[in-house]
Amino acid sequence: MPGYELIGIEEQNEINEVFKNGGVLFRHGFDELRNNCYKVKEFEEAFAKKMNVPYALAVTSGTSALRVALSVLNLQEGDEIITQSFTFVATVEAIIEARAIPVCTEIDEGFNMDFEDLKSKIGPKTKAVIVVHMLGTPAKLKEIKKICDDFDVPLIEDSAWGCGGSYNGIALGTYGRMGTYSFDFVKTMTTGEGGMILFKNKFDYEKAAAWHDHGHENNPKVPRWEDTRASSGFNFRMTELQGAVGLAQLRKLDFIVKMQNKNKKALEEAIKGNKHIKLREVPSGSYETADALVFTVKDKDSALNIRRELLKEGISTKILPEATSWHFSATWTHMKELEVFHGKDLSNAFPISKKLLERAVSLPVKVNFDDDYLNKVRKAIDRALYAVS
Ligand SMILES: *Cc1c(COP(=O)(O)O)cnc(C)c1O
């Protein structure tokens, strides 16, 4: 789970530096006041370097990161964008906000995009594919990227859960043409609210940077109030305070992910003796962010029973089985835009995903937890499954 467990003096010191250097909270300008202190810029450069890509743009949230990424694609009326049925609402919201038609695929046993279903849904109207590394486990990037390349469709990674993870040694969020991250308060690293977009090419970066800032090109030849612009845009700028916190959190990212992997392993060991449990499939070559441990049981009642027994121990599950209404598109009947492709019977549009999700349980993994926690989880699960079997 997360960076918020480790928030401390390092974040505070970074923020103090902003105030010691004139207290300029805006990312641009005020050069004479700030003693060369530009936290958002420094955060972008450090993030790009860490992920080994040339360009990064910080924004206000993971949701706006997706929306800004889509701004570079020149979307036209009737264009479709494909994502997966199991994701946070934000992925589909961003597609709708970009005036494209959202299309969702089924998920596979890895709880991410089913590439066979992607193959059946991709076509001439598809303008992008947004793959999600749900709950910290990499999607089948090799297969999905190949399909996108075959159809000449850009791949975007919603790497909100993938920050600090990798696949075959390459950072999640850097396989596609663009990758987006969220730094909201429950993500692997946090700036309170915030997000980042990574770009492989300069043209995409410059277009997105302008669009996230009302079209400002930040032309060095003129002052900002006379700035040049090629298109309208919006305001999704990150503040210096978020940038400052981000710098401190980024330095902790490797440690967070390492600890989570260690703790996930311990959690796995504690429960895998229970033969009623089937662990989520993880593609080989994955280094997970290990934000959660996901497994399935035989039916919905068993999954709900586990949640009930865990709650008695004061332990919550994470999204599954309780929060599918925010994370499964079959339940989003409030988004009429989904009906354009999927028809009115949304609740039956993803039967395979539905069957998998309703009998799934997700346990949060934290940086700090101890043997007592592991014992409680194991006992609660044993009790729950024993009761229903
Ligand atoms: C958290 C999340 C987002 C949105 O990020 P915010 O910073 O909360 O706006 C987008 N996609 C996924 C998969 C997420 O989990």
Side-chain angles (χ1 to χ4, degrees), residues 61-63 66 87-88 90-91 132 134 158 160-161 182-184 187 194:
S61 72
T63 310
L66 286 161
T87 183
F88 181 51
T91 323
V132 188
M134 243 344 232
D158 178 345
W161 290 98
S182 162
F183 308 132
D184 80 24
K187 292 301 187 335

Side-chain angles (χ1 to χ4, degrees), residues 61-183:
S61 72
T63 310
S64 56
L66 286 161
R67 178 63 190 91
V68 173
L70 295 179
S71 75
V72 311
L73 297 181
N74 291 324
L75 295 168
Q76 307 291 326
E77 177 97 36
D79 288 347
E80 294 173 358
I81 295 181
I82 304 180
T83 186
Q84 60 201 53
S85 60
F86 180 46
T87 183
F88 181 51
V89 277
T91 323
V92 170
E93 285 171 334
I95 295 170
I96 292 171
E97 278 301 310
R99 296 182 206 159
I101 297 167
V103 176
C104 299
T105 69
E106 295 270 20
I107 54 167
D108 62 16
E109 300 276 317
F111 288 77
N112 283 321
M113 184 175 281
D114 179 343
F115 66 83
E116 293 295 348
D117 198 32
L118 171 63
K119 257 189 225 165
S120 76
K121 286 173 176 161
I122 201 166
K125 289 185 183 172
T126 313
K127 288 293 141 42
V129 170
I130 307 180
V131 68
V132 188
H133 308 298
M134 243 344 232
L135 289 159
T137 301
K140 297 207 173 76
L141 282 166
K142 201 176 82 194
E143 291 84 353
I144 290 166
K145 181 145 191 333
K146 171 145 197 332
I147 296 167
C148 289
D149 290 347
D150 288 349
F151 282 83
D152 200 18
V153 166
L155 176 66
I156 298 172
E157 290 170 80
D158 178 345
S159 204
W161 290 98
C163 189
S166 64
Y167 180 68
N168 289 337
I170 296 172
L172 298 181
T174 70
Y175 267 79
R177 176 159 149 190
M178 293 174 269
T180 67
Y181 300 82
S182 162
F183 308 132

Side-chain angles (χ1 to χ4, degrees), residues 324-337:
T324 44
S325 65
W326 285 100
H327 297 87
F328 182 33
S329 54
T331 67
W332 301 338
T333 47
H334 64 299
M335 295 181 178
K336 295 295 165 211
E337 293 84 351

